[in-house]
Amino acid sequence: MSKSTTIAYGDRWIWAYDLARTVLLVEVIHVAGTAAAGTDPWVDEVLADVRVGAEIGDSAFGIDPAWGAERLDMFVGWLDEAGRRLRTRVSVGPGRPADWPLDGFEWRGSDPLPVASAVS
């Protein structure tokens, strides 16, 4: 974990390790995919953006304040649930589990990522 990337919210930028961000966003894909996919076209658009943010560590991932309070609350709920699920594990490793939703992603390095890094 040495490469950093950004998460943007409006005019605020948060630095994050790219691999930690990927792990968190992959879990968000799982959470939102089971909870809300297909219920609102916005969900499908955001999940497409989440997938790009997870696959491409060099790209900024943006959370748009223009989504409105209800959608922001929904996204924050996905993040909270993703963090809760991740906290049940110690680490996530380079092996590709069967449910890994990213086709073109290659794990950088051979070491597992401590889940606490992704959750924080």
Side-chain angles (χ1 to χ4, degrees), residues 101-120:
L102 308 179
D103 296 326
F105 181 79
E106 291 185 30
W107 193 274
R108 189 168 31 83
S110 59
D111 296 328
L113 173 75
V115 170
S117 297
V119 174
S120 68

Side-chain angles (χ1 to χ4, degrees), residues 60-84:
F61 175 73
I63 300 168
D64 191 348
W67 290 346
E70 184 178 326
R71 288 176 172 166
L72 284 170
D73 286 347
M74 182 185 303
F75 189 79
V76 169
W78 297 341
L79 287 171
D80 286 343
E81 177 62 14
R84 188 192 66 69

Side-chain angles (χ1 to χ4, degrees), residues 45-99:
E45 291 171 24
V46 169
L47 286 178
D49 289 345
V50 168
R51 182 177 302 277
V52 169
E55 287 179 340
I56 305 171
D58 292 347
S59 69
F61 175 73
I63 300 168
D64 191 348
W67 290 346
E70 184 178 326
R71 288 176 172 166
L72 284 170
D73 286 347
M74 182 185 303
F75 189 79
V76 169
W78 297 341
L79 287 171
D80 286 343
E81 177 62 14
R84 188 192 66 69
R85 289 182 184 190
L86 286 170
R87 282 186 196 95
T88 65
R89 302 180 224 166
V90 173
S91 64
V92 177
R96 289 178 61 142
D99 64 346

